[in-house]
């Protein structure tokens, strides 16, 4: 299995790539709570407690802008 840190680095790298094209394209990412938590932490500083408690509802839509 992949460690949480390796997962976070992989997602952060993807978001960095998307950011480079964000003026030209719009992206829709579909993710479960584990990935959504990492995405949230990319855009917002979070304490360990906030990170652990973060979750999204079924079919919830969140919008992030670079």
């Amino acid at each position: 299995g992949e460690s949480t840190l390796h997962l976070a680095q992989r997602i952060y790298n993807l978001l960095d790539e998307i950011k480079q094209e964000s003026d030209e394209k719009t992206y829709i990412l579909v993710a479960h709570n584990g990935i959504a938590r990492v995405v949230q932490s990319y855009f917002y500083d979070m304490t360990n407690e906030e990170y652990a408690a973060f979750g999204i509802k079924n079919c919830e839509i969140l919008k992030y802008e670079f």
Side-chain angles (χ1 to χ4, degrees):
E2 184 176 39
S3 73
T4 303
L5 289 175
H6 286 124
L7 167 70
Q9 186 62 63
R10 194 164 44 90
I11 299 304
Y12 276 29
N13 289 347
L14 171 65
L15 293 170
D16 286 343
E17 289 176 23
I18 290 172
K19 184 178 181 178
Q20 292 175 2
E21 298 178 350
S22 65
D23 291 339
E24 304 160 11
K25 297 180 182 180
T26 299
Y27 291 85
I28 296 175
L29 303 177
V30 178
H32 58 72
N33 267 341
I35 302 298
R37 185 176 290 134
V38 175
V39 172
Q40 180 79 0
S41 74
Y42 181 90
F43 288 94
Y44 299 100
D45 288 335
M46 301 170 76
T47 65
N48 287 337
E49 291 78 18
E50 290 168 333
Y51 183 85
F54 182 81
I56 57 173
K57 296 177 181 148
N58 192 28
C59 298
E60 183 174 3
I61 297 172
L62 300 175
K63 182 177 180 179
Y64 298 97
E65 295 189 27
F66 293 101

